[in-house]
Amino acid sequence: MTSQLFAICFNTPQPPALARFWSGVLGWESAEGPDDDVAILPPDAAGFRIRFLPGQEPKTGQNRAHFDLTSSSPEDQRQTVARALRLGGIHIDVGQLPEEGHVVLADPDGNEFCVIEADNKFLADTGVIGALACDGTQQVGYFWSEALRWPLVWDQDQETAIQSPNGGTKITWGGPPVAPKTGTNRLYLELALPADADREAEIARLISLGATRTDTSEGHGGRVRMLDPDGNEFTVQEPR
């Protein structure tokens, strides 16, 4: 049985504060987790949650992944930006051009995110989180398409994107040049399996696709830690 995307996780020194920020920006409800973490829950039960886990990873440049938030109108974009700033976000410069329509911000922990202009056709009908935009190779896009069994919805000029067959948030990879990885990623994917699944068989499948297992025992909270072909951390939960 194929893994499902259970959560996008943030390692942060301040889980409750960061959860309050993102709950306020997205309008998602929060819930306490089992590992001294806080989660915010999507309005649609079929979507993924966002987990905020205790961690002290230093920020060494831009994150390899960030959220692209959608807008239904220019006024909606302005309101999202204003709400984020009111909750503790800041404007940042990552080299965006003045004529570009998106607004680049950082959350109170320094994690970058974008509020995309309303007429962006690529993110139409994806929901408030239009994309998890990643710095990565074409090969890692192919890996995650096979790992999650999500079809490729973009594969051009070494840029790739996948999306669940049920729709919702896309995961994208920008292709070369890919910046060298320094340290542990602050954002990572957490996969889960149904209760009757064989986790070791699923881990073997992921390894056959190009993943690497980084430990031989279960990590904190019963999660197996792995790396994708670009060296990005992800975890596989015990069957739920």
Side-chain angles (χ1 to χ4, degrees):
M1 181 77 66
T2 304
S3 297
Q4 299 172 341
L5 177 59
F6 176 71
I8 294 175
C9 299
F10 283 73
N11 283 332
T12 171
Q14 46 181 354
L18 202 60
R20 284 193 296 271
F21 172 83
W22 282 104
S23 175
V25 170
L26 300 176
W28 292 13
E29 296 293 328
S30 62
E32 292 186 1
D35 304 318
D36 297 323
D37 66 299
V38 184
I40 59 173
L41 310 178
D44 181 351
F48 58 84
R49 62 184 60 199
I50 304 174
R51 298 183 71 199
F52 303 89
L53 293 139
Q56 300 296 329
E57 286 74 14
K59 195 153 188 342
T60 56
Q62 293 181 30
N63 290 341
R64 270 196 164 187
H66 68 268
F67 287 141
D68 283 341
L69 307 185
T70 59
S71 305
S72 59
S73 67
E75 178 60 23
D76 182 47
Q77 184 185 29
R78 287 191 289 270
Q79 289 178 356
T80 300
V81 171
R83 186 164 62 252
L85 296 175
R86 186 172 64 252
L87 292 166
I90 60 171
H91 285 281
I92 60 170
D93 183 358
V94 295
Q96 67 269 30
L97 301 175
E99 62 269 22
E100 292 179 318
H102 62 278
V103 178
V104 184
L105 303 171
D107 68 21
D109 206 19
N111 302 301
E112 305 86 0
F113 66 99
C114 296
V115 185
I116 305 298
E117 63 275 16
D119 60 353
N120 186 289
K121 294 181 173 56
F122 181 69
L123 299 181
D125 301 321
T126 54
V128 63
I129 303 177
L132 178 68
C134 306
D135 191 19
T137 63
Q138 183 182 49
Q139 288 70 29
V140 87
Y142 292 167
F143 165 81
W144 281 108
S145 177
E146 290 292 333
L148 295 174
R149 302 275 168 84
W150 286 14
L152 285 161
V153 294
W154 182 263
D155 184 9
Q156 186 172 312
D157 300 326
Q158 299 190 62
E159 298 177 355
T160 50
I162 63 175
Q163 187 179 31
S164 166
N166 299 320
T169 300
K170 295 178 178 178
I171 307 178
T172 70
W173 294 270
V178 178
K181 187 173 183 292
T182 57
T184 303
N185 289 339
R186 282 180 159 197
L187 277 71
Y188 64 91
L189 304 183
E190 183 170 55
L191 311 185
L193 288 162
D196 59 348
D198 182 338
R199 185 170 60 172
E200 289 305 315
E202 174 62 1
I203 289 169
R205 184 184 75 89
L206 294 170
I207 291 171
S208 75
L209 295 174
T212 304
R213 185 169 182 167
T214 61
D215 57 21
T216 56
S217 60
E218 291 188 357
H220 183 59
R223 296 185 296 274
V224 172
R225 301 181 185 279
M226 305 188 75
L227 301 175
D228 72 17
D230 275 2
N232 300 300
E233 299 83 5
F234 70 98
T235 60
V236 182
Q237 284 190 356
E238 59 189 357
R240 302 183 64 81

